[in-house]
Amino acid sequence: MTEKVMQLNQIHSRHHVFWVFIIVHFSVLLFSAFSADIPPRKILNGEKKKPRKVELHIEDNRVFIDNGLVEVTIENPSGHLSGIKYKGMLNVLETRNNNNNKGYWDIVWDNEAYDKLATQHVKIITETDELVELSFTKMWDITKDHGNSVPLNVDKRYIVRRGVPGLYMYGILERQENFPDAHIYQIRIAFKLNEDKFHFMAISDTKQRIMPSQEDRDESRCQVLAFKEAVLLTNPTNPQLKGEVDDKYQYSSENKDNKVHGWISDDDAVGFWVITPSNEFRTGGPHKQDLTSHVGPTALSMFVSTHYTGTEMDVLYKKGETWKKVLGPVFMYLNSASWDEARHYRKALWNDANRQLREEIQSWPYNFTASEDFPHAQQRGEVNGQLLVRDQYESLDKQLMQAKSAFVGLAAPGYAGSWQTEGKGYQFWTQTDNTGRFTIKMSDQGRNKINLGTLIYDPPRNGPTLWEIGIPDRTAAEFFIPEPNPTFVNSILNHDADKFRQYGLWDLYSDIYGHGDLVFTVGVSNYSKDWFFAHVPRRIGNETRATTWQIKYELQEVNKAGNYTLQLALAAASYAEVQVRINNPDANLPHFTTERIGYDNAVPRHGIHGLYRLYSINVPGNGFQRGNNTIFLTQTRCHDSFEAVMYDYIRFEGPAV
């Protein structure tokens, strides 16, 4: 059964209008979960001592916040984070960098311009024994700043709490009506950690290892591969890494899974973690992929980007359009392990970071932030309901089915599926339980509780299933992913679930199908072995050529007067075009074409999906014949190996009954 997005109901709050969006998956979705079986902690964060009160000191060019566990230094008035003192480490950030290149916000905007959001004023928002919150601000001036800095009013907030070993950061960005047009492609916070200390990176239970250094990416120590982000380590400072590939996109993660990642200093048994307890301020929905940590050592908190979506992400802010948004808070957590954990300190630090993540999630939305633009729990609304699915061809008794594990969300109004490319507002997502019930807590100053009752979803279908290829889960992960070329392996990805992120898999299509393109026979072929994960051009010598895949199937009977439907769901597309022909590969005009679609670049960025697209293609019965039939899928674009599509799911339906 296919999946589709459905707009169900309009929800009004005092400040926002949302549509309810639902993603229905009819396969069981498995998500990474942090183990609850964590041994007793021996993490040293000073919790056995009575926490010291928080102290604030402001100098002409620096601001210090100290709670006895961490001492935070912020440049005054730029608002750049220049130091974090923790345990015996005088600074966990890279001291050799300039202050604007240690811990900083940045934005990529018009024509790839780059702005690190240096501010002009500092203000004490809260100063008590329990908490200090500071505000670093800049008001955009059209007479001075036009063309020189991104047209935004900026308010960067820092919070240090008593007894908490870390730092909370959030930002309030605003555009006024008279601000000029601007494209804002990326908004993030970046942390450049001490290169002499932090070498071990952890971004999931399985993706953890000693990493190359920034020096290892110099041309004298590596070979640049098909694009600048990917390099082959030829002479790394750590000989054990020789022959491995490094590419920051190999460490990407979906928003729903990107909750904690960071680095460990082996010398000190100290961890630095970026913890994101909510996705409501991120764009693109729960499946949007983005960067996490990578060589530097660099840790990122991504809020907005065009990664895996391209310019289809809505990033144009028009003159006359007012806008204001709170990004964060996110939490920079520090921990350390005791000596009796020396043999297992990495695991202990990682487990403790996940324990802290659970605490932060339970505390969301935070009640200690002072900005009126960030509503606390008592200021938020709630939406409840139950989702049922009606599919007369899937359920033999035609009973309504409970939508288990479906994603249900609130997002800005738009066309079905527009939440994927919605780049400016908030999104609130949850998953249904085993009975299809859900509860969404949303930003709503009116504190409304809305019960949507029972929602019935009619999936896209025109007739009974004659055959299907794949699983409707918005990814190509179930298809054939070849073993990577041993010359281009990244050992952090040595798990089946991550194999699709290995470098150069696209090139293996030409090796496997060197003498002819893919042919899939329904009832004989196995899509996990015989359907390549990406429909890419075929390399012949120094040229790349368009490829045509065939789906062969048999029809016992044909209703010449009826209409058949080809449900074609794409998991990704980049500068591609899929043409569909029925039984005649040489027809001048295809029966259907997607035309040129996609900018998501998912193939070279090692993503198993980008933006989802669904095409319901009507085919008159007189185009088929009794017995053997063939559907030809031609990906016509072939300037390079990255003009490609990934299929999510294909279903062939007979005429309506």
Side-chain angles (χ1 to χ4, degrees):
M1 183 176 291
T2 57
E3 76 179 53
K4 194 178 179 183
V5 180
M6 176 172 61
Q7 302 179 159
L8 287 176
N9 213 334
Q10 197 173 39
I11 306 291
H12 291 268
S13 72
R14 180 177 300 181
H15 298 299
H16 308 288
V17 177
F18 299 100
W19 280 97
V20 180
F21 290 98
I22 292 178
I23 311 172
V24 184
H25 297 257
F26 291 95
S27 58
V28 177
L29 298 183
L30 300 177
F31 300 110
S32 298
F34 301 120
S35 172
D37 185 20
I38 296 177
R41 288 195 304 135
K42 297 179 183 177
I43 304 298
L44 301 180
N45 283 324
E47 61 269 74
K48 293 183 180 179
K49 301 178 182 179
K50 183 178 180 180
R52 207 181 80 186
K53 68 179 183 179
V54 186
E55 297 179 352
L56 172 66
H57 305 282
I58 298 180
E59 298 179 356
D60 290 341
N61 60 354
R62 291 182 298 180
V63 177
F64 301 94
I65 314 175
D66 187 356
N67 68 357
L69 299 175
V70 293
E71 181 182 280
V72 175
T73 305
I74 308 165
E75 188 177 62
N76 184 13
S78 71
H80 298 315
L81 180 64
S82 59
I84 302 177
K85 182 179 179 181
Y86 178 71
K87 298 296 180 180
M89 298 182 66
L90 296 179
N91 199 345
V92 303
L93 304 177
E94 179 49 63
T95 57
R96 288 165 289 200
N97 289 3
N98 294 329
N99 282 343
N100 68 352
N101 195 31
K102 295 178 180 176
Y104 55 90
W105 288 75
D106 68 19
I107 285 183
V108 178
W109 61 299
D110 288 358
N111 299 316
E112 299 300 313
Y114 192 63
D115 192 328
K116 288 193 172 180
L117 302 187
T119 49
Q120 299 170 338
H121 307 282
V122 59
K123 181 181 179 181
I124 301 172
I125 302 298
T126 305
E127 184 181 12
T128 69
D129 291 350
E130 300 300 317
L131 178 147
V132 167
E133 179 171 349
L134 299 180
S135 167
F136 291 81
T137 59
K138 175 190 174 183
M139 301 296 289
W140 193 80
D141 187 335
I142 194 170
T143 62
K144 299 177 182 178
D145 297 325
H146 187 55
N148 298 318
S149 63
V150 61
L152 288 171
N153 293 334
V154 177
D155 184 352
K156 300 186 296 189
R157 299 290 182 102
Y158 292 89
I159 297 175
V160 175
R161 301 171 62 202
R162 188 173 191 169
V164 178
L167 168 69
Y168 296 86
M169 296 175 65
Y170 69 108
I172 304 131
L173 304 182
E174 181 182 25
R175 280 178 53 86
Q176 296 177 352
E177 191 173 17
N178 65 329
F179 286 8
D181 287 1
H183 288 88
I184 300 179
Y185 301 105
Q186 177 175 283
I187 307 175
R188 68 179 187 177
I189 309 174
F191 304 92
K192 300 295 180 65
L193 304 181
N194 189 314
E195 291 185 42
D196 296 331
K197 295 285 188 177
F198 291 93
H199 305 298
F200 187 87
M201 184 183 77
I203 54 181
S204 75
D205 286 339
T206 58
K207 288 187 279 191
Q208 304 181 10
R209 74 157 192 184
I210 292 285
M211 288 289 287
S213 67
Q214 188 64 45
E215 180 185 351
D216 292 335
R217 293 182 59 90
D218 293 345
E219 61 181 16
S220 63
R221 294 188 175 273
C222 71
Q223 172 192 343
V224 177
L225 299 175
F227 38 89
K228 64 181 181 179
E229 291 86 358
V231 301
L232 180 66
L233 303 175
T234 55
N235 183 30
T237 52
N238 181 349
Q240 294 181 351
L241 299 176
K242 184 176 181 179
E244 293 217 8
V245 168
D246 178 72
D247 181 352
K248 66 181 180 181
Y249 292 109
Q250 292 182 315
Y251 316 125
S252 295
S253 178
E254 292 188 349
N255 283 344
K256 62 181 175 56
D257 303 319
N258 184 4
K259 298 177 181 178
V260 57
H261 61 88
W263 293 77
I264 290 172
S265 168
D266 288 329
D267 291 345
D268 310 274
V270 163
F272 177 94
W273 310 100
V274 178
I275 292 180
T276 308
S278 172
N279 280 318
E280 65 187 49
F281 41 79
R282 287 172 168 163
T283 59
H287 300 289
K288 169 74 165 64
Q289 297 177 89
D290 227 320
L291 301 175
T292 57
S293 287
H294 59 75
V295 164
T298 300
L300 300 172
S301 178
M302 303 293 299
F303 300 114
V304 176
S305 85
T306 56
H307 299 141
Y308 303 95
T309 64
T311 53
E312 292 183 67
M313 178 62 70
D314 181 15
V315 295
L316 174 60
Y317 297 74
K318 295 182 179 180
K319 184 177 181 178
E321 173 188 3
T322 59
W323 176 80
K324 191 176 190 180
K325 187 174 181 180
V326 177
L327 301 175
V330 292
F331 181 40
M332 271 48 68
Y333 175 63
L334 291 104
N335 60 5
S336 61
S338 60
W339 287 113
D340 57 346
E341 290 179 311
R343 292 182 58 189
H344 306 290
Y345 63 88
R346 289 175 181 167
K347 181 179 180 181
L349 293 172
W350 172 248
N351 286 343
D352 179 66
N354 282 283
R355 176 207 56 79
Q356 187 65 39
L357 167 66
R358 291 192 290 273
E359 286 192 12
E360 300 301 320
I361 291 174
Q362 291 171 1
S363 300
W364 189 270
Y366 297 140
N367 62 5
F368 53 79
T369 55
S371 172
E372 62 181 14
D373 296 303
F374 180 78
H376 297 168
Q378 66 272 20
Q379 298 171 298
R380 297 200 171 206
E382 186 175 289
V383 177
N384 299 285
Q386 182 182 23
L387 177 63
L388 302 178
V389 178
R390 176 170 51 203
D391 188 333
Q392 60 179 320
Y393 295 105
E394 187 73 14
S395 176
L396 295 178
D397 55 6
K398 297 187 179 182
Q399 294 294 311
L400 293 174
M401 294 178 288
Q402 297 168 336
K404 302 177 183 179
S405 299
F407 277 89
V408 183
L410 302 175
Y415 59 86
S418 61
W419 53 267
Q420 292 185 102
T421 55
E422 200 285 304
K424 300 173 185 175
Y426 300 94
Q427 296 192 18
F428 304 88
W429 290 88
T430 190
Q431 278 188 278
T432 58
D433 63 16
N434 287 336
T435 65
R437 289 183 171 84
F438 61 88
T439 297
I440 303 174
K441 294 186 182 295
M442 57 180 280
S443 172
D444 179 9
Q445 299 288 351
R447 298 182 294 282
N448 295 317
K449 286 193 175 182
I450 302 170
N451 192 331
L452 297 177
T454 299
L455 307 174
I456 298 176
Y457 174 63
D458 293 290
R461 178 184 282 280
N462 296 322
T465 299
L466 300 183
W467 51 259
E468 59 186 348
I469 301 173
I471 300 170
D473 61 357
R474 292 182 168 252
T475 82
E478 70 271 25
F479 297 128
F480 176 62
I481 299 171
E483 293 299 319
N485 185 327
T487 306
F488 301 114
V489 170
N490 186 331
S491 61
I492 201 173
L493 306 173
N494 283 343
H495 298 270
D496 287 342
D498 301 317
K499 187 168 70 171
F500 68 86
R501 293 199 184 276
Q502 293 283 11
Y503 175 86
L505 299 181
W506 56 85
D507 260 348
L508 299 180
Y509 176 82
S510 299
D511 298 334
I512 297 170
Y513 297 96
H515 301 291
D517 287 322
L518 182 150
V519 178
F520 187 93
T521 302
V522 173
V524 176
S525 301
N526 182 334
Y527 61 72
S528 66
K529 298 178 181 179
D530 303 313
W531 189 272
F532 200 74
F533 78 100
H535 194 162
V536 295
R538 186 150 56 100
R539 175 177 29 81
I540 301 177
N542 295 324
E543 297 181 0
T544 52
R545 297 184 184 177
T547 48
T548 297
W549 291 8
Q550 300 178 46
I551 304 173
K552 293 183 176 293
Y553 57 98
E554 188 173 331
L555 293 177
Q556 299 296 328
E557 301 290 340
V558 177
N559 183 343
K560 295 287 186 179
N563 286 316
Y564 293 73
T565 303
L566 182 67
Q567 302 282 9
L568 186 66
L570 302 183
S574 187
Y575 299 93
E577 178 182 3
V578 178
Q579 294 181 355
V580 179
R581 290 176 172 83
I582 310 294
N583 287 332
N584 182 5
D586 300 319
N588 289 331
L589 294 177
H591 178 79
F592 171 82
T593 178
T594 62
E595 300 184 334
R596 201 215 63 75
I597 52 172
Y599 306 90
D600 58 37
N601 226 17
V603 169
R605 288 182 173 174
H606 322 290
I608 202 64
H609 70 88
L611 291 181
Y612 174 82
R613 293 173 171 84
L614 174 65
Y615 300 93
S616 295
I617 303 167
N618 182 273
V619 186
N622 58 19
F624 301 104
Q625 60 196 19
R626 185 176 179 180
N628 295 326
N629 291 264
T630 305
I631 291 176
F632 298 90
L633 302 175
T634 302
Q635 201 297 97
T636 65
R637 308 282 171 148
C638 55
H639 292 93
D640 60 47
S641 299
F642 306 135
E643 295 179 326
V645 297
M646 295 182 188
Y647 298 100
D648 166 43
Y649 175 73
I650 302 174
R651 184 174 69 216
F652 188 55
E653 300 172 355
V657 177

